């Protein structure tokens, strides 16, 4: 009976740790532009990584700069391609795409989600900047690590 209870407890704990949505506050290293932290809320079923993510960006003055949705990439082939190219050998469990207008420019990011060794959710965030809309010449490539913060208040202040 103790083994059954232990197995059930372990199963529930595993679901809690690995099935938790990405909802929460995240900080980036290095910092992304003027954004000092992000607030995320996963949409749909919170126990699955497949849902889209509502994302809010904040600057150091605690003002919200924008709100957008990072869309889960449904195409398994595209996800695998991005994981292979940008996953940095991590056990990536989800891939999202974020596109938004800010400061008169269009920005695109890929967010590759994984469980860090610190037991927090992380994203490898990829920013590709091309020369024009044809996306034929890569001008700049940036990589960021977003980690789920655990000391950020509900008011948004770190």
């Amino acid at each position: 009976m103790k083994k059954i209870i232990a197995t059930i407890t372990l199963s529930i704990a595993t679901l809690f740790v690995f099935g938790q949505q990405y909802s929460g506050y995240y900080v980036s290293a290095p910092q992304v532009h003027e954004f000092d932290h992000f607030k995320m809320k996963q949409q749909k079923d919170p126990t699955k990584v497949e849902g889209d993510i509502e994302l809010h960006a904040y600057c150091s003055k605690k003002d919200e700069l924008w709100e957008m949705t990072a869309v889960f990439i449904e195409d398994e082939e595209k996800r695998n391609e991005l994981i292979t190219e940008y996953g940095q050998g991590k056990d990536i469990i989800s891939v999202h795409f974020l596109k938004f207008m800010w400061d008169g420019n269009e920005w695109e990011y890929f967010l590759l989600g994984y469980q860090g060794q610190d037991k927090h959710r992380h994203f490898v965030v990829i920013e590709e900047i091309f020369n024009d809309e044809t996306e034929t010449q890569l001008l700049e490539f940036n990589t960021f690590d977003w980690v789920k913060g655990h000391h950020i208040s509900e008011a948004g202040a770190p």
Side-chain angles (χ1 to χ4, degrees):
M1 185 64 164
K2 286 183 181 180
K3 286 184 180 181
I4 293 171
I5 292 171
T7 302
I8 291 170
T9 303
L10 181 59
S11 297
I12 291 170
T14 301
L15 177 63
F16 181 74
V17 170
F18 293 103
Q20 279 295 305
Q21 70 264 29
Y22 290 115
S23 295
Y25 290 91
Y26 287 76
V27 293
S28 178
Q31 185 172 343
V32 179
H33 304 289
E34 298 172 20
F35 316 139
D36 100 335
H37 69 280
F38 301 88
K39 181 179 177 185
M40 296 186 183
K41 182 176 182 190
Q42 187 160 11
Q43 301 170 358
K44 298 184 183 176
D45 185 346
T47 63
K48 297 184 179 182
V49 296
E50 291 88 6
D52 295 342
I53 300 172
E54 181 182 306
L55 194 128
H56 302 256
Y58 296 87
C59 72
S60 59
K61 297 175 186 169
K62 314 307 179 268
D63 295 331
E64 184 177 67
L65 297 174
W66 50 260
E67 172 189 340
M68 282 295 174
T69 299
V71 179
F72 178 75
I73 296 178
E74 298 282 342
D75 182 339
E76 186 175 355
E77 187 175 321
K78 178 69 173 172
R79 279 196 320 267
N80 289 335
E81 177 185 310
L82 290 164
I83 290 169
T84 300
E85 183 145 355
Y86 302 123
Q88 302 175 351
K90 298 179 180 355
D91 187 17
I92 303 297
I93 56 176
S94 71
V95 180
H96 290 80
F97 177 69
L98 175 66
K99 183 177 186 175
F100 61 94
M101 289 295 291
W102 181 69
D103 200 23
N105 295 305
E106 183 176 81
W107 301 91
E108 296 182 359
Y109 294 88
F110 290 103
L111 288 72
L112 286 67
Y114 68 98
Q115 179 82 19
Q117 290 181 346
D118 59 3
K119 304 296 184 218
H120 292 284
R121 293 292 186 159
H122 288 251
F123 287 96
V124 173
V125 179
I126 305 303
E127 175 188 44
E128 296 176 320
I129 301 173
F130 292 92
N131 64 335
D132 59 22
E133 298 82 30
T134 63
E135 297 186 356
T136 55
Q137 183 181 359
L138 185 65
L139 293 180
E140 189 176 342
F141 177 84
N142 298 305
T143 303
F144 307 93
D145 182 48
W146 291 5
V147 63
K148 188 171 186 178
H150 50 91
H151 296 297
I152 298 175
S153 73
E154 282 299 314

